[in-house]
Amino acid sequence: MVRWEPGTPERLQAAALELFATRGYEQTTAAEIAQSVGLTERTFFRHFADKREVLFHGQQLFVAGFLEGARATPGDAAPLEVVRAALGSAAGFFGDERRPHSRRRQTVIDANPALQERELHKMVGLADALRDLLRERGVAEPAATLAARVGTLVFEVSFATWIAEGEERSIDTIQAVVFAELVALVQ
Amino acid sequence: MVRWEPGTPERLQAAALELFATRGYEQTTAAEIAQSVGLTERTFFRHFADKREVLFHGQQLFVAGFLEGARATPGDAAPLEVVRAALGSAAGFFGDERRPHSRRRQTVIDANPALQERELHKMVGLADALRDLLRERGVAEPAATLAARVGTLVFEVSFATWIAEGEERSIDTIQAVVFAELVALVQ
């Protein structure tokens, strides 16, 4: 009988990050990750398709939050207001208590081209979803694509700033600064 | 003795596009591409590392052109002026006579995830190079990254518009429209 184990994905994720960071991503197997927290390889594969996916756990929640913020705006909101709302909503996933985890995760990703690839696709998928949402609201092209891509650009730059060594500002504050920089730049 | 054959890469590229479009990318080998224009597989591999690379021939010229346009601006030009110059210079590579080729190439790329991957990396590399150039000129972050990414965003959206079925405007004209849309959106 398969028992429901609350928090198992999170435990596996924390263990994986620890091993990836100390031993290296390539040198760590799914079995070793599972064993380090007293679980079996089989349990690992019940939660994740492969060891790469363990780093992207929670991604659907982030994407859902981003799009939920966008959807919560009035139907006639300007495209950039929709984007701002999406960013504000996504910021909820990056509280200060999460910063050490995000930093460690990024170090692992930066060291591995296959993981960078996956991360890149994540952002492309996010921009496409936001673009589709804007199109459904009647925003014409190229405005829908431009607004969506501006949104993921501001997020990417803000996130990279947020996890930089020594950075203490909240992601909300950083996003506001980056957005203002973009506006100043384009004017 | 290896003979210098002018235009061989271009002939191989045209042959490859023809075969990729009619027979499918996966179903076409380097040997078949070479044979279809009376060349050997060995000749093919003298010019390209693999059949994927045949689609990216000329890429260095495009990147060089893009960056050359950026470098030709005065050292104290505003970041967005540098970006505009890069786009203007890159447009030189996409004359109207090239549009059918670019359309056919895009069809092949859209049908193949590995090629989309390669294309995505090309744009990331281009944005990074432009960002580095802006940093060297003393542009601070996040402005350098934002300006560079705005540049590749405008290029990507403009290029996709330029190769759309029935589109007849020049890429220069389209880039001006897309840039204006972005400015209007962000203000």
Side-chain angles (χ1 to χ4, degrees):
Chain A
M1 205 182 83
V2 176
R3 239 183 355 157
W4 166 238
E5 300 155 300
T8 301
E10 290 73 20
R11 280 170 66 206
L12 287 167
Q13 191 179 37
L17 268 188
E18 175 69 30
L19 287 171
F20 291 166
T22 53
R23 192 183 293 189
Y25 174 76
E26 292 294 353
Q27 288 72 44
T28 304
T29 67
E32 288 166 344
I33 296 166
Q35 281 156 22
S36 78
V37 283
L39 296 168
T40 64
E41 187 178 10
R42 204 172 138 184
T43 301
F44 182 95
F45 286 116
R46 227 169 40 231
H47 293 284
F48 302 107
D50 55 43
K51 71 172 175 179
R52 191 167 73 156
E53 289 314 302
V54 81
L55 286 165
F56 295 90
H57 175 66
Q59 173 180 348
Q60 296 92 326
L61 286 176
F62 162 67
V63 170
F66 194 87
L67 296 175
E68 205 174 282
R71 274 195 210 95
T73 56
D76 61 350
L80 214 67
E81 285 319 303
V82 178
V83 169
R84 277 187 202 276
L87 289 168
S89 176
F93 286 83
F94 301 101
D96 283 343
E97 77 292 346
R98 201 185 162 86
R99 189 148 26 186
H101 166 91
S102 292
R103 278 183 180 138
R104 175 171 274 198
R105 177 181 175 278
Q106 195 63 43
T107 305
V108 174
I109 287 177
D110 287 347
N112 193 295
L115 298 176
Q116 290 166 35
E117 203 84 37
R118 180 81 165 68
E119 192 79 342
L120 201 56
H121 277 280
K122 182 170 115 180
M123 295 316 294
V124 170
L126 188 59
D128 287 353
L130 185 54
R131 175 204 62 199
D132 291 346
L133 186 148
L134 290 167
R135 282 183 182 171
E136 280 163 27
R137 286 179 164 213
V139 177
E141 287 296 352
T145 295
L146 291 172
R149 293 282 298 270
V150 159
T152 52
L153 172 57
V154 169
F155 173 75
E156 278 181 69
V157 170
S158 301
F159 182 79
T161 305
W162 182 67
I163 59 172
E165 217 42 58
E167 179 60 61
E168 293 186 349
R169 291 171 299 171
S170 73
I171 196 155
D172 253 336
T173 302
I174 296 169
Q175 281 186 162
V177 169
V178 171
F179 227 126
E181 280 264 11
L182 183 67
V183 171
L185 198 68
V186 168
Q187 269 165 355
Chain B
M1 205 184 84
V2 176
R3 240 181 355 155
W4 165 241
E5 300 155 301
T8 301
E10 289 73 19
R11 281 170 64 205
L12 286 167
Q13 191 179 37
L17 268 188
E18 174 69 30
L19 288 171
F20 290 166
T22 53
R23 191 182 295 189
Y25 174 75
E26 293 294 352
Q27 288 71 43
T28 304
T29 67
E32 287 166 344
I33 296 166
Q35 280 156 22
S36 78
V37 282
L39 296 168
T40 63
E41 187 178 10
R42 204 173 139 183
T43 301
F44 181 96
F45 287 116
R46 226 167 42 228
H47 292 284
F48 302 107
D50 55 44
K51 71 173 176 178
R52 190 167 73 157
E53 288 315 301
V54 81
L55 286 166
F56 295 90
H57 175 66
Q59 173 181 347
Q60 297 93 327
L61 285 177
F62 162 67
V63 170
F66 194 87
L67 296 175
E68 205 174 283
R71 273 193 212 98
T73 56
D76 61 351
L80 214 68
E81 286 319 303
V82 179
V83 170
R84 278 187 202 276
L87 289 168
S89 175
F93 286 84
F94 301 102
D96 284 344
E97 76 292 347
R98 201 184 161 86
R99 191 151 20 189
H101 166 91
S102 291
R103 278 183 180 138
R104 174 169 274 198
R105 177 180 175 279
Q106 195 63 43
T107 305
V108 174
I109 288 177
D110 287 346
N112 193 294
L115 299 177
Q116 289 166 35
E117 203 84 38
R118 180 80 164 69
E119 192 80 340
L120 201 56
H121 276 282
K122 182 170 114 181
M123 295 316 294
V124 170
L126 188 58
D128 287 353
L130 185 53
R131 175 204 63 198
D132 291 347
L133 185 149
L134 289 166
R135 282 182 183 172
E136 279 163 28
R137 285 179 165 213
V139 177
E141 286 296 349
T145 295
L146 291 171
R149 294 282 298 270
V150 159
T152 52
L153 172 57
V154 169
F155 173 76
E156 279 180 68
V157 170
S158 302
F159 182 79
T161 305
W162 183 66
I163 59 171
E165 217 42 60
E167 179 61 59
E168 293 187 349
R169 292 171 298 170
S170 72
I171 196 154
D172 254 336
T173 301
I174 296 169
Q175 281 185 163
V177 170
V178 171
F179 227 126
E181 280 264 11
L182 183 67
V183 171
L185 198 69
V186 168
Q187 265 166 359

